[in-house]
Amino acid sequence: MPNLEHPAYPAAKLLQLESLVPCRESQVSLLLSIFGEREQFSFPSIFIYGHRASGKTYVMHTLLNTLQLPHVFVNCVEYFTSRLLLEEILIQLQRYSEAEQTSHVPCDTLNDFVRLFKQAVASGELQDQTLYIVLDRAEQLREMEANILPAFLRLQELTDRNVTVILLSEIVWELFRPNTGCLEPLTLYFPDYSIGHLQKILSQNHPPLYSADFYAAYINILLGVFYMVCRDLKELQHLAALNFSKYCEPVVRGEASERDTRKLWKNIEPHLKKAMQTVYLREISSSQWQRLQCDDGEPGQLKGLSAHTHVELPYYSKFLLIAAYLASYNPVRTDKRFFTKHHGKIRKTNFMKKHEKTSNHLLGPKPFPLDRLLAILYSIVDNRVAPTANIFSQVS
């Protein structure tokens, strides 16, 4: 019995959609119930959030394309200013217009966008069905003018058209909400994939030359090694494709069968340990890694980060360590003086507490709250730091 059911869409399309989005059937079913039928007004704005590689962008792409719903898909990192963003939406709308298409639509203000948007949606194909505007990496909207985010949340009201704006982000809605208030979107959370979900998704990509059970056993070994240090689906897909040829070597040479898991594991184990040293680093290309496996060489033979005596920390981890050092050795009362540009005049005083006469380095580090650590981090990093799950995972 299919998990996805909706009277407005053909059963064949829903079966195809279900096969394309494994382990996300509940989220897709909820989205279909929110969307309703093509001609019905949907919710004005939907906010979808979750960690990286949790399927947000893929599910929305697959859902809208499979059901052939009119939509506009824009990445806010690529179109990083309000003008570029608004013009790109209008340009993508041209494929639904009956008028002659133009390559560029000038749009300087939000008022111009509302006017041009009404004209574009008034064309034949978009009159009787909902248009979906999907803004990926929507946290970038916080860097734009203050009226952009509230306008997108109220776009259905401003234009009086059947349009739904969908925001995709890695951070929670509370970090979006402006101080002046706005229309609250409908929020939907995409949880991380469990190890069973990852096993099911990765096993679907088995090569045609080998059986599905053989490839599933390989994925089970791969997850047993990497799941504790890496749960990113994209990274695991890369690792699975990169190391599968080494796993198959005993079968290709005729030294073992597909069911001889012990020999296959002993053959792949040292190579997975080498790959463990370079997870996320990408210090060598895939072709270099495969050449290194064929030569049975060591990773140190290639010039990379892990070939040296020290390993470079991630970018924000270095600043977190610096912030932790400053917070543990400096008193709280000095934060305003050290980390605020316009702190005013500091009154000099010779009064010192007895324990402050001793060097802080001799007394050792002091405990500090997490809020103070993050406040110091934001002040010492040049660019604005989004409080994403990656930052908090490095703190823990």
Side-chain angles (χ1 to χ4, degrees), residues 41-58:
F41 272 73
S42 181
F43 208 84
S45 56
I46 304 172
F47 182 80
I48 300 176
Y49 68 101
H51 290 170
R52 182 176 179 270
S54 57
K56 305 181 297 296
T57 305
Y58 172 75

Side-chain angles (χ1 to χ4, degrees), residues 268-339:
I268 193 67
E269 181 184 12
H271 300 278
L272 293 182
K273 288 182 178 179
K274 293 177 187 177
M276 181 82 77
Q277 301 173 11
T278 59
V279 174
Y280 291 118
L281 293 181
R282 295 288 192 276
E283 58 186 35
I284 59 176
S285 65
S286 300
S287 58
Q288 287 177 305
W289 175 254
Q290 290 175 349
R291 194 182 312 119
L292 182 64
Q293 286 184 324
C294 294
D295 297 339
D296 292 328
E298 296 294 330
Q301 294 176 357
L302 292 174
K303 294 182 179 180
L305 294 177
S306 62
H308 302 288
T309 55
H310 73 283
V311 176
E312 188 73 19
L313 290 173
Y315 179 75
Y316 287 119
S317 293
K318 293 184 289 186
F319 286 101
L320 281 168
L321 286 175
I322 296 172
Y325 177 82
L326 295 174
S328 61
Y329 282 104
N330 291 328
V332 178
R333 59 184 175 81
T334 62
D335 288 352
K336 183 178 179 181
R337 177 183 178 186
F338 291 153
F339 307 115

Side-chain angles (χ1 to χ4, degrees), residues 222-234:
L222 188 80
L223 290 176
V225 174
F226 288 101
Y227 184 73
M228 294 303 296
V229 297
C230 174
R231 302 185 183 185
D232 189 321
L233 177 60
K234 296 178 182 177

Side-chain angles (χ1 to χ4, degrees), residues 43-46 110 113-114 117-118 133 135 147-167 173 178 180-185:
F43 208 84
S45 56
I46 304 172
L110 192 58
F113 173 75
V114 172
F117 184 85
K118 286 182 177 180
I133 298 179
L135 302 178
N147 63 339
I148 294 296
L149 178 59
F152 275 120
L153 297 175
R154 290 184 177 272
L155 191 60
Q156 189 178 104
E157 177 185 342
L158 292 174
T159 60
D160 194 24
R161 297 291 187 270
N162 189 359
V163 57
T164 296
V165 177
I166 302 174
L167 307 177
W173 168 247
T180 56
C182 64
L183 178 68
E184 293 288 319

Side-chain angles (χ1 to χ4, degrees), residues 45-81:
S45 56
I46 304 172
F47 182 80
I48 300 176
Y49 68 101
H51 290 170
R52 182 176 179 270
S54 57
K56 305 181 297 296
T57 305
Y58 172 75
V59 166
M60 288 309 306
H61 259 300
T62 308
L63 172 62
L64 296 172
N65 289 327
T66 303
L67 300 181
Q68 297 179 348
L69 300 174
H71 65 277
V72 171
F73 216 104
V74 183
N75 190 319
C76 296
V77 173
E78 297 179 16
Y79 303 95
F80 51 90
T81 66

